């Protein structure tokens, strides 16, 4: 059910389409139709964070750069679970 008739399909930055396809090819990423949109959304969010950080680097506000890699389609929590196993963190 879709209240108000608004589409629930994710809205992607079309200017990143070629880069997304190239990234998937470079890292051998293949998704099912139900996962593709979610992974693209996460990837775009991570790319935006990387780009913003690297702008700070160019302005001298950081001493290092970031880059996209094979894990760029994962959330922080997914990455942590994959690399560290299930870890309970007390806050």
């Amino acid at each position: 059910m879709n209240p108000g008739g608004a589409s629930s399909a994710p809205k992607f930055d079309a200017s990143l389409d070629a880069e997304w396809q190239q990234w998937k090819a470079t890292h051998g990423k293949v998704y099912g139709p139900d996962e593709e949109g979610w992974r693209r959304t996460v990837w775009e969010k991570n790319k935006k964070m990387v780009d913003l950080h690297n702008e700070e680097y160019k302005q001298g506000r950081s001493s290092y750069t970031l880059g996209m890699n094979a894990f760029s389609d994962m959330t922080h929590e997914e990455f942590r679970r994959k690399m560290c196993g299930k870890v309970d963190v007390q806050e």
Side-chain angles (χ1 to χ4, degrees), residues 1 16 18 22-24 29-32 37 40-41 48 51 58 60 68 82 84-85:
M1 188 161 167
L16 297 175
Q22 181 61 49
W23 179 87
K24 289 193 308 179
K29 301 288 184 160
V30 178
Y31 308 107
R40 170 74 183 255
T41 299
K48 181 178 180 181
D51 290 347
K58 289 177 187 176
M68 300 294 280
K82 181 175 183 69
C84 303

Side-chain angles (χ1 to χ4, degrees), residues 13 33-34 36 39 50 53-54 68 70 78 81 83 87 89:
D13 182 342
D34 293 337
E36 178 90 17
R39 293 295 160 199
V50 166
H53 174 84
N54 289 342
M68 300 294 280
E78 287 174 316
R81 282 189 181 153
M83 302 312 281
V87 177
V89 177

Side-chain angles (χ1 to χ4, degrees), residues 2-14:
N2 195 353
S7 172
S8 63
K11 303 288 189 256
F12 303 123
D13 182 342

Side-chain angles (χ1 to χ4, degrees), residues 19-74:
E19 190 172 351
W20 167 244
Q21 294 302 326
Q22 181 61 49
W23 179 87
K24 289 193 308 179
T26 297
H27 298 289
K29 301 288 184 160
V30 178
Y31 308 107
D34 293 337
E35 186 178 18
E36 178 90 17
W38 164 248
R39 293 295 160 199
R40 170 74 183 255
T41 299
V42 171
W43 180 86
E44 282 193 19
K45 180 179 178 185
N46 287 333
K47 177 162 178 34
K48 181 178 180 181
M49 185 268 307
V50 166
D51 290 347
L52 288 171
H53 174 84
N54 289 342
E55 281 301 314
E56 290 180 359
Y57 171 81
K58 289 177 187 176
Q59 296 168 7
R61 297 187 318 192
S62 178
S63 61
Y64 62 94
T65 60
L66 296 176
M68 300 294 280
N69 60 35
F71 304 109
S72 297
D73 62 342
M74 299 173 83

